[in-house]
């Protein structure tokens, strides 16, 4: 519990620092003006004291964005975990998969989105692929690095007793790669939200991504800033949940000595 509380405290401190930078930035650049530059207090007033229809619209958009992000997160992480496991079992797969993944990562997703829309339509398939493209590469590299770092002697011991490569992967490499796996999960949480927003901006026309896009030509900056704040808050909450689960799992496998 102390480890989890310490992590939550660090997240709370980081949130306070972000709010301080936000307020300091607007104070340092007064030319932005109060009409465009909304402070945290303005966003709070919009969300709490504003019209119920405003909150309902943001809440409905958040639900859709979280759904889209969840789909992309699940598809991307599953592909990353499966690809990293195959890379550990087969050097040939690793030599062919890493360059392809690097190539896909180097292509701006904004340029791929119209192609994905034309190919898969504007439904959940396009959302899943867009989110998965954002999540896959960093998660794949991080998990593969963790699997490669498994103790070689323990892997050889499993093989010496007749265990297969799959058994060595399951019993040795995967437990050893838990820190890397959770690091990939933490990285992928904001990535999945970014992928969902891009899919909504350029494809589905739903969710908070669409809300932000429509607020810009209307000069509805309170709604724009409130949407950004809601997405950021959702990202922080999801990141915090992953970190808390990581601490609990680390204590379960490593014992009370974990900081």
């Amino acid at each position: 519990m102390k480890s989890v509380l310490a992590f939550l405290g660090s997240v709370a401190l980081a949130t306070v620092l972000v709010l301080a930078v936000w307020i300091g930035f607007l104070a340092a650049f007064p030319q932005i003006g109060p009409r465009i530059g909304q402070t945290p207090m303005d966003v709070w007033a919009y969300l709490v004291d504003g019209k119920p229809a405003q909150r309902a619209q943001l809440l409905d958009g958040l639900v859709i964005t979280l759904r889209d992000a969840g789909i992309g997160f699940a598809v991307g992480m599953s592909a990353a975990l499966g690809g990293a496991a195959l890379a550990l079992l087969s050097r040939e797969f690793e030599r062919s998969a890493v360059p392809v993944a690097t190539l896909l990562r180097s292509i701006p997703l904004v340029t791929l989105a119209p192609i994905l829309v034309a190919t898969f339509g504007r439904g959940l398939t396009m959302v899943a692929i867009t989110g998965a493209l954002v999540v896959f590469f960093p998660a794949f590299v991080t998990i593969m690095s963790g699997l490669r770092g498994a103790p070689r002697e323990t892997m050889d011991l499993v093989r010496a007793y007749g265990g297969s490569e799959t058994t060595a992967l399951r019993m040795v490499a995967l437990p050893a790669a838990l820190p890397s796996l959770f690091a990939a999960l933490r990285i992928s949480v904001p990535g999945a939200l970014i992928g969902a927003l891009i899919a909504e901006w350029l494809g589905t026309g739903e969710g908070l991504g669409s809300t932000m896009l429509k607020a810009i030509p209307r000069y509805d900056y309170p709604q724009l800033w409130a949407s950004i704040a809601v997405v950021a808050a959702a990202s922080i909450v999801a990141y915090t949940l992953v970190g808390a689960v990581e601490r609990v799992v680390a204590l379960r496998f490593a014992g009370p000595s974990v900081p």
Side-chain angles (χ1 to χ4, degrees):
M1 181 60 67
K2 290 182 179 179
S3 179
V4 174
L5 290 177
F7 174 77
L8 295 178
S10 65
V11 173
L13 178 60
T15 303
V16 172
L17 290 176
V18 169
L19 293 175
V21 171
W22 181 355
I23 296 172
F25 175 81
L26 294 177
F29 297 94
Q31 63 270 26
I32 295 178
R35 173 173 170 76
I36 297 177
Q38 301 288 298
T39 67
M41 291 72 74
D42 295 329
V43 172
W44 178 263
Y46 181 89
L47 293 174
V48 176
D49 302 327
K51 299 177 181 179
Q54 297 172 345
R55 292 192 295 271
Q57 182 180 10
L58 289 180
L59 181 60
D60 293 342
L62 176 62
V63 171
I64 296 174
T65 298
L66 291 178
R67 179 204 65 188
D68 295 342
I71 294 173
F73 179 85
V75 174
M77 282 300 302
S78 299
L81 183 59
L86 286 176
L88 181 66
L89 297 175
S90 172
R91 287 287 186 178
E92 290 76 13
F93 176 82
E94 179 182 358
R95 284 192 290 266
S96 60
V98 172
V100 174
T102 305
L103 176 63
L104 291 175
R105 180 65 173 176
S106 64
I107 301 175
L109 192 57
V110 175
T111 62
L112 284 178
I115 299 176
L116 295 177
V117 171
T119 305
F120 301 103
R122 299 179 181 272
L124 293 181
T125 301
M126 190 275 292
V127 170
I129 295 175
T130 303
L133 288 175
V134 178
V135 169
F136 173 77
F137 183 78
F140 171 69
V141 172
T142 304
I143 296 173
M144 185 174 63
S145 176
L147 292 176
R148 290 290 182 200
R152 183 67 58 184
E153 298 81 4
T154 310
M155 297 280 286
D156 292 337
L157 181 63
V158 173
R159 300 186 187 102
Y161 278 93
S164 63
E165 292 292 332
T166 305
T167 302
L169 171 67
R170 177 174 55 84
M171 298 185 64
V172 180
L174 282 177
L178 279 178
S180 297
L181 175 60
F182 277 103
L185 290 172
R186 292 197 308 271
I187 295 172
S188 299
V189 164
L193 282 168
I194 292 173
L197 292 176
I198 293 175
E200 291 166 357
W201 286 337
L202 304 175
T204 66
E206 298 178 330
L208 287 180
S210 176
T211 300
M212 287 187 278
L213 189 65
K214 294 175 181 177
I216 295 174
R218 298 198 309 262
Y219 302 101
D220 192 350
Y221 295 109
Q223 186 183 60
L224 177 63
W225 283 83
S227 300
I228 295 172
V230 168
V231 170
S235 180
I236 292 172
V237 170
Y239 180 91
T240 303
L241 289 176
V242 172
V245 172
E246 177 185 10
R247 293 303 176 104
V248 173
V249 172
L251 289 171
R252 169 66 177 82
F253 280 88
S257 63
V258 176

